[in-house]
Amino acid sequence: MTTLTIVNPSDETVISEIEAFDVEQTDAAIERAVTAQKLWAAWTPADRAAALRRFAAAVEADVENLALLEVRNSGHPIGNARGEAAHVAQVLQYYSAAPERLIGKQIPVAGGLDVTFLEPIGVVGVITPWNFPMTIASWGFAPALAAGNAVVLKPAEWTPLTSLRLAELGLQSGLPEGLFQVLPGEGRVAGDRLVTHPEVRKIVFTGSTLTGRSIMAKAAAQVKHVTLELGGKSANIVFADSDLEKAAATAPYAVFDNSGQDCCARTRLLVERSAYDRFMELLEPAVKRFVVGDPADSATEMGPLVSKPHFDKVASYVPDDTEVAFRGSAPSGPGFWFPPTVLTPRSETDRTVVDEIFGPVVAVLPFDDEADAIRLANSSAYGLSGSIWTQSLDRALRVSRAVEAGTLSVNSHSSVRYTTPFGGVKQSGLGRELGPDAPLSFTETKNVFIAIGAQ
């Protein structure tokens, strides 16, 4: 039997050992999901909506427990973790309205009546990352369940605990047995089997671009639906006419939130050359004020990195001889602690500018004018998110249309609202999650023509 060792990233203690699902166990779970999905799809839309509302209420009642699990398993600050758990309840509540609103169309045609139906796809495999285990899981399973599907969720090996708890809450709230299952296991075993099993009709994956490419290639063998939310190297563009004090004060949160382990992190900070020196003067104290420490402390703004292998990867981008502009502080001793770090690379092709580091490291580059800012922002292979700081509405609209990214914000760093679409372009992925249309991506449109004879 293979097991997963779950480690607390704050102090490196072992939390638990969890059995990892093998191929046979994964196949059995998928078969249970096939049976449960047929039962679930036969429920009335009103009954499915009520079940999702009960699920949302169960999660809401368990927010503190879920948050404490995330603090221990992922190292998220307790304030963040509470917000993440509450977010899951909100996503479920939002999509509980969908079953009764998934309506087809009547299309005028000659010779009869033509109608469309939105049919569930069947069994959906959701493969989630370790950086936001609860929230990203809910973006997949909530709209999929609302559309009448069953969900088999494979969480990341390092952070399965909150997903397992969510599955328990789903059962307690009255979801049919087998409808929403969580399979802890290795990606190359349980995750791969979800992708290759013919009864899994869609894969929702959030993770690295490299793994996303592999999943896409394997899914092509069965012409399987995929939604891919992949890497990012988002730009935070600060123009000289912006509120520089606000832009500098908020920039650390755009990078260092969740220890930089966020595909939306604005890790390329582009500043108009005429404002560069003043902006850096304002940024340094903001970075040094950023509170890094015990995730259980409500004052903490940033916890540790998730694991020793990931710590080593992040550290490889900032070797001892790196010219660091300035840094924040971080605890010493046990735990995977990495201080907030600001770099000023000399080249826009430096690997700290190009690669997704996925840690609390930001590269600051100057630009000359609006066209140069757009060129730099679009020079990445990724296109997930980004921010634009300016007091000119004209410029905000021009640059927003010109920057190649799926989710942008002006004078803000907001990337995710469950009420609006989220996703990327280029190598940041395919498809969109969240927003009112998300359940549609878990349906097939069936067209039915009924001939009507003349009297």
Side-chain angles (χ1 to χ4, degrees), residues 199-273:
E199 290 287 2
V200 177
R201 304 290 175 81
K202 176 168 182 170
I203 293 292
V204 177
F205 171 76
T206 301
S208 74
T209 297
L210 182 64
T211 304
R213 291 191 198 114
S214 175
I215 287 173
M216 190 174 180
K218 290 177 180 177
Q222 298 170 10
V223 197
K224 195 187 300 278
H225 297 261
V226 293
T227 295
L228 304 175
E229 197 270 278
L230 308 176
K233 192 70 177 177
S234 298
N236 179 11
I237 307 171
V238 180
F239 286 96
D241 73 334
S242 67
D243 182 339
L244 291 181
E245 285 76 13
K246 185 176 180 182
T250 59
Y253 296 90
V255 181
F256 306 137
D257 185 59
N258 201 37
S259 307
Q261 300 167 137
D262 183 352
C263 48
C264 293
R266 277 70 162 162
T267 52
R268 292 184 299 147
L269 182 46
L270 313 181
V271 183
E272 192 163 7
R273 197 176 300 275

Side-chain angles (χ1 to χ4, degrees), residues 80-104:
N80 292 29
R82 287 179 179 134
E84 291 156 19
H87 177 89
V88 176
Q90 291 159 0
V91 170
L92 280 164
Q93 184 69 30
Y94 180 71
Y95 287 114
S96 71
E100 295 170 285
R101 291 164 174 78
L102 282 171
I103 55 176

Side-chain angles (χ1 to χ4, degrees), residues 96-163:
S96 71
E100 295 170 285
R101 291 164 174 78
L102 282 171
I103 55 176
K105 299 176 181 178
Q106 184 271 314
I107 302 171
V109 296
L113 175 69
D114 196 275
V115 294
T116 62
F117 299 91
L118 299 176
E119 304 285 7
I121 288 175
V123 177
V124 175
V126 177
I127 302 174
T128 55
W130 46 259
N131 59 328
F132 290 104
M134 283 188 284
T135 55
I136 292 177
S138 71
W139 302 353
F141 71 69
L145 292 172
N149 302 281
V151 173
V152 181
L153 189 153
K154 209 293 289 182
E157 290 95 317
W158 294 338
T159 56
L161 297 186
T162 49
S163 294

